[in-house]
Amino acid sequence: MLLHKVLLIEDDEVVRKQLAKYIQKERFDVIQAADGHTGIELFRSEKPDIVLTDMKIPGIDGMEVITTIKRLSPDTDVILFTGYGETDTAVMALREGVLDYLKKPIDLEALSMTLGRARERVVARDEHFVQPIILLVEDEELPRKRLARVLAKENWMVIEAENGEDAVRTFGLAKIDIVITDITMPVMNGLVALHKMREMNRDFEAIVFTGYGDEESAIQALRDGAINFIKKPVDIDQLLMSVEKALEKLRLDRALKYRNRELELARQIIAQVTAEQEIIINLHNSVLKQATDFAQRLLDAIPTSIMVIKRDFNIVYVNKSLSSILGGRCDKLDEHMIESMKKMGVNELTLPQLTGTMDRLYEAPGNIEIMKTGDYSSLTLTLITIVGDVRDSYVLIAVRGERSV
């Protein structure tokens, strides 16, 4: 199985080793450096897919490491560790192309999510296939071996466990996507095992096997978050369909978490360049080039889809994230644009709703409007003011769709 490579730069040896162990569990190869100089040397020689670096490290600091890495390989995703009081610096790093930042002490669930976002981007660039890992828990050896062979034929990696206690131990050592478990087993039953797994990490889906008389336990498993239960003897077609459904739900849930985080980062970037609730970009001739370059870098760096629209509904700017999804023309806010946004899962949106919301912003500059456009999709709108020969205002719209394209 292909493992993406992570470079971890952290001067605290205890923290570094603990993080390295966790990152390996998340199915990455890890190379370690204790200072910035060593980190850059390893980056040149090892060419990692993802870099994690502390802000304060010996030699050269984290920002210098980021600048060097982005110069050598602009597409490499960098995740920054920050200490207390370093949030402003972290948001500045986001504007320079850093994927995300995590506050110390590191929350492992947040680290897992951020690594997942980074892996998603690497896979999209390289068109690699990430093999799902299934933990199969069954105390009867012959049925377990038979089911493991069937699942492996679907290009899924299968790890076997013969009871609940063994399964929990294995779950703690490996990144598991799907747990398939019998309910009635010796040592520890399936429901108890699933409960202990969810205390460790909730980022997985579960399917349970039930025998005669296990119906109440199966219903309890569904209440506890299992996606399905299958009666024994196991119908192979039903099992394969259940695993496919579980993998799709897991992919969508992870994508939603990633997009929510991207939207939060976008809001932080916008907030940092906001003066008294109003975003002002100065385009006087003396600073024209610097300001326009900054504005474009800012909007392209925001890890969500962004557009800027004039009051006459002409579109003056679409950032890279949005243009890559919509394709084609993006010059006018009209019914064609509304239809194009359905590619992102923005379905519950009409042109009058959007233009009406924009009009309200011009009535109350400095406000932020959030439009719900689906179960999980939304638009966030705010007014920006551009000062040049004349002062003019535009609407900046951040788009969160229900799916990535």
Side-chain angles (χ1 to χ4, degrees):
M1 181 178 68
L2 174 69
L3 294 180
H4 295 111
K5 189 181 297 184
V6 170
L7 169 60
L8 173 63
I9 310 174
E10 165 63 61
D11 62 310
D12 187 314
E13 184 178 5
V14 173
V15 172
R16 187 175 68 250
K17 288 183 176 179
Q18 289 175 341
L19 289 174
K21 184 177 180 181
Y22 184 82
I23 295 166
Q24 287 171 337
K25 178 191 169 185
E26 292 287 303
R27 305 202 299 266
F28 293 92
D29 279 335
V30 183
I31 50 177
Q32 303 177 44
D35 60 76
H37 288 298
T38 304
I40 290 173
E41 289 175 5
L42 285 173
F43 182 82
R44 293 178 188 272
S45 61
E46 297 290 334
K47 296 179 173 56
D49 302 291
I50 303 163
V51 176
L52 291 83
T53 181
D54 195 5
M55 175 72 78
K56 294 181 178 179
I57 46 178
I60 58 177
D61 66 20
M63 288 303 296
E64 289 183 75
V65 169
I66 291 165
T67 301
T68 302
I69 287 172
K70 283 297 182 181
R71 186 180 70 249
L72 294 171
S73 177
D75 288 338
T76 298
D77 284 315
V78 181
I79 300 164
L80 184 64
F81 298 151
T82 66
Y84 177 77
E86 295 177 337
T87 301
D88 286 347
T89 304
V91 177
M92 287 179 60
L94 292 174
R95 286 160 51 182
E96 295 301 319
V98 165
L99 176 67
D100 207 337
Y101 72 93
L102 299 171
K103 295 181 179 180
K104 300 179 77 173
I106 304 299
D107 180 283
L108 295 181
E109 284 194 15
L111 175 59
S112 177
M113 183 186 69
T114 303
L115 288 170
R117 284 182 59 213
R119 187 191 338 246
E120 180 186 71
R121 289 161 58 91
V122 173
V123 169
R125 284 197 301 269
D126 298 344
E127 298 183 346
H128 288 149
F129 171 72
V130 178
Q131 189 178 32
I133 295 184
I134 296 174
L135 176 58
L136 176 62
V137 194
E138 167 62 67
D139 60 306
E140 295 185 48
E141 184 175 4
L142 289 178
R144 186 178 70 245
K145 295 293 184 185
R146 171 175 166 265
L147 291 174
R149 287 194 298 270
V150 170
L151 295 169
K153 286 181 180 178
E154 300 297 315
N155 204 21
W156 300 325
M157 178 176 286
V158 182
I159 300 175
E160 299 177 41
E162 62 183 24
N163 58 60
E165 187 174 85
D166 185 29
V168 171
R169 182 167 52 251
T170 301
F171 186 89
L173 298 174
K175 175 69 172 179
I176 303 297
D177 297 302
I178 308 293
V179 176
I180 304 174
T181 182
D182 197 358
I183 289 181
T184 304
M185 293 182 295
V187 185
M188 181 187 294
N189 72 40
L191 292 185
V192 174
L194 286 175
H195 181 72
K196 289 183 176 294
M197 291 177 197
R198 293 205 184 277
E199 287 180 342
M200 298 163 65
N201 184 354
R202 303 186 65 84
D203 185 33
F204 72 97
E205 293 295 333
I207 299 167
V208 297
F209 296 147
T210 65
Y212 178 75
D214 280 338
E215 288 80 4
E216 288 189 13
S217 295
I219 293 171
Q220 184 59 50
L222 294 178
R223 289 173 178 161
D224 290 344
I227 196 170
N228 199 7
F229 70 89
I230 299 173
K231 291 185 177 181
K232 301 174 74 172
V234 174
D235 181 294
I236 296 300
D237 289 336
Q238 184 186 7
L239 174 61
L240 295 179
M241 289 177 60
S242 294
V243 174
E244 291 282 7
K245 180 182 177 181
L247 287 170
E248 178 63 12
K249 182 177 184 298
L250 189 65
R251 185 189 70 80
L252 291 173
D253 286 348
R254 286 172 175 172
L256 178 60
K257 285 192 297 185
Y258 301 161
R259 301 298 86 80
N260 282 339
R261 177 57 177 169
E262 288 167 4
L263 184 61
E264 172 59 27
L265 294 174
R267 287 172 175 163
Q268 290 185 36
I269 293 173
I270 292 172
Q272 193 181 65
V273 295
T274 297
E276 297 178 355
Q277 294 187 314
E278 188 177 7
I279 299 174
I280 300 177
I281 300 176
N282 188 330
L283 292 186
H284 285 299
N285 289 336
S286 61
V287 293
L288 178 61
K289 186 176 187 310
Q290 298 93 319
T292 52
D293 286 349
F294 166 76
Q296 183 165 335
R297 288 200 312 274
L298 168 64
L299 295 176
D300 282 337
I302 292 175
T304 196
S305 299
I306 295 288
M307 68 177 88
V308 178
I309 303 176
K310 294 174 66 174
R311 191 159 195 174
D312 61 6
F313 307 124
N314 283 314
I315 299 173
V316 299
Y317 184 79
V318 174
N319 76 339
K320 290 179 181 178
S321 175
L322 183 57
S323 63
S324 66
I325 294 173
L326 296 181
R329 71 174 184 86
C330 302
D331 54 6
K332 184 77 174 179
L333 181 60
D334 53 18
E335 294 291 353
H336 178 270
M337 170 61 81
I338 299 297
E339 187 67 25
S340 296
M341 291 170 69
K342 291 182 179 179
K343 296 178 182 178
M344 308 170 65
V346 178
N347 295 313
E348 300 172 16
L349 177 67
T350 67
L351 185 60
Q353 285 175 331
L354 183 52
T355 55
T357 302
M358 291 175 59
D359 287 340
R360 286 201 302 273
L361 283 172
Y362 281 104
E363 300 282 331
N367 285 352
I368 294 177
E369 293 272 356
I370 299 177
M371 300 180 63
K372 186 175 175 62
T373 59
D375 289 339
Y376 303 109
S377 67
S378 64
L379 304 185
T380 302
L381 300 84
T382 191
L383 211 63
I384 61 174
T385 298
I386 297 180
V387 179
D389 294 332
V390 295
R391 182 186 179 102
D392 206 352
S393 296
Y394 301 78
V395 174
L396 183 148
I397 304 177
V399 184
R400 187 188 78 182
E402 291 190 359
R403 60 180 181 269
S404 58
V405 179

